Amino acid sequence: MARPYFLLGTIPLYLVGALGAARDPRALAVVPFFIGLAVVLSIQLQTHFYNEYHDRETDRTAASSLLTGGSGALVKYDLYDEFALWLGRAAVLLALGLTGVLAMVAFRPLLLGVVFLAIALGWAYSSPPARFVARGLGELTVVVLAGVLVPLFGFLLQGGTATQDILPILGTLVPLTFGMNIATTLPDIDGDRRTGKRTLAVRLGARRVVDIGFVAFLLGCAVGVWTLEQLLPGAGMIGLAVAAVICLVGVSPVAGARSGDQQAASRMAVIVTAAYGTIVSGLSLVIVAGAWAISLPW
């Protein structure tokens, strides 16, 4: 239920925000960095566990995969449904406890606001009465959580204050996160429709939502290429080549997903998620490389 590979995928988002402030790994405040990372992962665990509990009926009828659908652990291991709920509550308590420790190490009121907002959104994503995921608001919630709050938290925790340092990063991550999240909801569209879970894909239909997600992902790639070039001249061309390869590889799955082919939608989800991780990790590396290049005497 913890889905550790999703936890691993959050680390680059946090890291890129932290590096956006510190610019050099040697300048990172190490203790706050790791406590902050533990806070981020605890909130993500909370979201996973609550989602597992409140989506249990949908997950029982929908096909699951590495990236889509629930883990199926409640059924597979014959667990009480409330076990996931109590794990979610424990994760909230862990996040709050770690935040208390963090407040003693690096207190900033805005940091606490980001944490409380993230906990609230993580709960509202799948929990009634809000249940954003079933109202066509789940995708926006994920964008705010993963594309904004996680990198912003890392940025603020490292003392970041310069808006011009974080805005290009957020401008890259927000559309990329939106496109990636749409891609991972598409394979579940039939099961969601049967159980009344009104995701954006269910509301708009496969064809329209694929088009929206594809445009969003291209926008994120474009901003990302521009950001790479600003951070390290020449890196933008590498980013452009990577984006072109992603587009070429994704042409066939995108076309299949638009027509409602669930296997194509699953392939597209894998490609887009891998591309997302590559771009975010590459952005972190270029921030470090750019800072290193600037520090050279020549």
Side-chain angles (χ1 to χ4, degrees):
M1 286 189 288
R3 311 195 88 168
Y5 43 88
F6 279 136
L7 297 179
L8 291 175
T10 302
I11 295 174
L13 294 170
Y14 175 73
L15 179 62
V16 75
L19 289 175
R23 289 302 175 102
D24 187 333
R26 294 169 296 182
L28 285 174
V30 177
V31 173
F33 176 85
F34 282 105
I35 297 175
L37 178 59
V39 170
V40 167
L41 296 181
S42 298
I43 295 173
Q44 187 174 6
L45 278 173
Q46 164 218 334
T47 306
H48 287 181
F49 293 139
Y50 277 136
N51 187 67
E52 197 78 24
Y53 174 75
H54 291 292
D55 270 1
R56 60 193 184 280
E57 296 304 325
T58 301
D59 294 341
R60 279 170 181 151
T61 60
S64 63
S65 68
L66 188 67
L67 299 175
T68 64
S71 70
L74 291 176
V75 176
K76 182 178 179 181
Y77 299 107
D78 195 25
L79 301 172
Y80 290 111
D81 291 346
E82 286 72 18
F83 181 62
L85 189 61
W86 282 104
L87 284 175
R89 291 168 178 167
V92 172
L93 291 176
L94 178 59
L96 291 174
L98 289 168
T99 302
V101 175
L102 191 61
M104 293 186 289
V105 176
F107 177 76
R108 293 182 71 180
L110 188 54
L111 279 174
L112 298 182
V114 170
V115 170
F116 293 144
L117 178 58
I119 290 174
L121 288 177
W123 171 84
Y125 176 76
S126 56
S127 303
R131 195 153 166 74
F132 291 154
V133 69
R135 301 176 185 271
L137 297 173
E139 293 81 1
L140 180 60
T141 305
V142 172
V143 167
V144 174
L145 277 168
V148 178
L149 295 183
V150 170
L152 181 61
F153 183 64
F155 180 78
L156 293 172
L157 192 53
Q158 294 300 320
T161 56
T163 305
Q164 66 269 20
D165 289 340
I166 190 65
L167 280 183
I169 294 172
L170 297 183
T172 302
L173 295 182
V174 165
L176 285 178
T177 303
F178 182 66
M180 184 271 296
N181 190 238
I182 281 181
T184 56
T185 61
L186 274 168
D188 297 332
I189 190 169
D190 290 338
D192 291 342
R193 187 180 287 116
R194 285 195 301 270
T195 55
K197 187 176 174 183
R198 303 281 291 168
T199 63
L200 205 58
V202 171
R203 286 175 175 271
L204 299 180
R207 182 180 297 273
R208 189 177 299 174
V209 84
V210 168
D211 291 344
I212 293 172
F214 186 66
V215 170
F217 206 82
L218 285 182
L219 176 61
C221 287
V223 178
V225 167
W226 178 85
T227 302
L228 291 174
E229 190 63 27
Q230 303 306 306
L231 292 169
L232 184 64
M237 295 304 297
I238 298 174
L240 188 60
V242 171
V245 170
I246 292 169
C247 289
L248 288 173
V249 171
V251 165
S252 177
V254 166
R258 287 183 84 247
S259 65
D261 184 339
Q262 294 300 291
Q263 289 187 340
S266 296
R267 290 198 303 273
M268 187 182 79
V270 172
I271 292 169
V272 170
T273 303
Y276 182 79
T278 300
I279 293 169
V280 176
S281 301
L283 189 57
S284 297
L285 292 173
V286 168
I287 290 173
V288 174
W292 176 75
I294 291 171
S295 67
L296 292 175
W298 57 85

